[in-house]
Amino acid sequence: MNAQLSEIQLMRTGEGLTWPEGTTAATSGANEQKSEGAEQLIDGTVDTKCYWGGAAAPVTITLPEPISFDGYRWYTANDSMETRNPVSWRLEASMDGVTWTLVDEQIDRATVTTIKTLAYTYCVADDMDVAINAL
């Protein structure tokens, strides 16, 4: 399985949140090239992407401080739309990196075939506070 995204964003009252300074993103499944690594998911632009080759691995986004959110959205990347855009995913949150809470799960969604565009926006529980979340 191969997958790619250009950007992930948490939301509050319908507005996209800026990742706090010091936020990091990592995954064991990302392309080794820095230009396609997990950090590209939180760099604020749809002109970069994170690409996973082979088996799917979770992306862990670590925040330096808790933030509240009530939704999230993600954007497609720049190529191979029909074979690389996720159609199923889970969003989990944690305050300690040990105990995880399922925030949202989507299974067998329609494939988005437009490049560098908003793919999905979802609302979740109000006032969800996270220090660490895996996407």
Side-chain angles (χ1 to χ4, degrees):
M1 176 186 156
N2 295 321
Q4 67 181 13
L5 297 175
S6 66
E7 199 68 19
I8 297 171
Q9 191 173 41
L10 297 179
M11 301 171 63
R12 181 86 181 123
T13 61
E15 298 293 323
L17 299 173
T18 302
W19 295 106
E21 187 173 336
T23 299
T24 61
T27 182
S28 61
N31 189 323
E32 293 297 321
Q33 298 177 31
K34 184 167 178 59
S35 64
E36 294 184 352
E39 288 287 329
Q40 306 308 317
L41 294 172
I42 59 171
D43 66 358
T45 179
V46 297
D47 292 324
T48 60
K49 70 178 176 185
C50 177
Y51 170 74
W52 298 262
V59 172
T60 301
I61 299 174
T62 304
L63 293 87
E65 60 202 35
I67 61 173
S68 294
F69 70 101
D70 58 13
Y72 71 98
R73 59 187 172 199
W74 63 265
Y75 294 79
T76 61
N78 62 350
D79 62 4
S80 300
M81 293 296 97
E82 294 182 19
T83 61
R84 293 186 188 164
N85 277 344
V87 294
S88 299
W89 62 88
R90 294 170 55 102
L91 174 67
E92 297 178 342
S94 175
M95 291 296 287
D96 60 11
V98 176
T99 304
W100 295 87
T101 301
L102 180 63
V103 174
D104 188 45
E105 182 172 32
Q106 299 294 322
I107 299 172
D108 295 330
R109 304 296 303 173
T111 300
V112 177
T113 58
T114 307
I115 65 171
K116 296 196 272 187
T117 191
L118 177 63
Y120 293 103
T121 300
Y122 290 96
C123 295
V124 297
D126 288 336
D127 298 322
M128 176 73 63
D129 289 325
V130 298
I132 303 171
N133 59 312
L135 301 172

